[in-house]
Amino acid sequence: MSANANLFYSSIFASYKPCYKKANESLLDIQLDTTILTKPSILLDPADSSRLIFVQDASNKIYLIDNKGKILWKNEMKEKIMSEVQSVNEKKKCNLSSPQKLKFMC
């Protein structure tokens, strides 16, 4: 910046990069059959202490997903589950309840 007889001069440099890529901010991208109905439950796998994700979708299917995003199993339910799933056993089975009954799922 410079001044001369009450005038100010400045210079600016601008750069444009046309190949901007939006960063993927998600940790996992998992394709389910429809939208998520319940809040995902984070469970501990007793076999190797890794994290598992349990979720139910809008068509009442339940999913158990590993920490890499692989669907370990999916089962159809007749209705929405009412309880939050707290744990999973070595065979990847969990206890949950629906309005009709308590189920033991695999």
Side-chain angles (χ1 to χ4, degrees):
M1 195 168 197
S2 63
N4 185 6
N6 294 329
L7 299 173
F8 289 97
Y9 300 94
S10 64
S11 19
I12 189 168
F13 174 77
S15 176
Y16 173 70
K17 190 173 185 178
C19 58
Y20 171 76
K21 292 183 181 178
K22 185 177 178 180
N24 184 0
E25 298 175 12
S26 65
L27 296 176
L28 292 173
D29 288 325
I30 303 164
Q31 183 69 37
L32 303 180
D33 293 343
T34 185
T35 58
I36 292 177
L37 179 65
T38 61
K39 178 181 105 176
S41 298
I42 307 299
L43 309 172
L44 187 66
D45 187 348
D48 61 3
S49 298
S50 64
R51 303 283 181 205
L52 300 171
I53 302 167
F54 180 89
V55 69
Q56 185 174 26
D57 71 11
S59 63
N60 292 329
K61 290 180 186 160
I62 56 174
Y63 301 83
L64 188 65
I65 303 163
D66 71 6
N67 60 359
K68 294 177 181 76
K70 179 183 174 192
I71 297 174
L72 300 174
W73 53 255
K74 97 176 151 177
N75 288 322
E76 277 194 48
M77 299 283 293
K78 292 182 180 177
E79 54 201 351
K80 181 182 176 198
I81 58 173
M82 301 306 293
S83 64
E84 201 171 299
V85 177
Q86 301 293 327
S87 64
V88 63
N89 68 16
E90 298 83 17
K91 295 180 180 180
K92 307 283 190 279
K93 295 183 179 182
C94 21
N95 288 314
L96 53 97
S97 62
S98 68
Q100 298 294 322
K101 56 186 169 185
L102 179 67
K103 290 192 169 195
F104 195 72
M105 297 304 293
C106 57

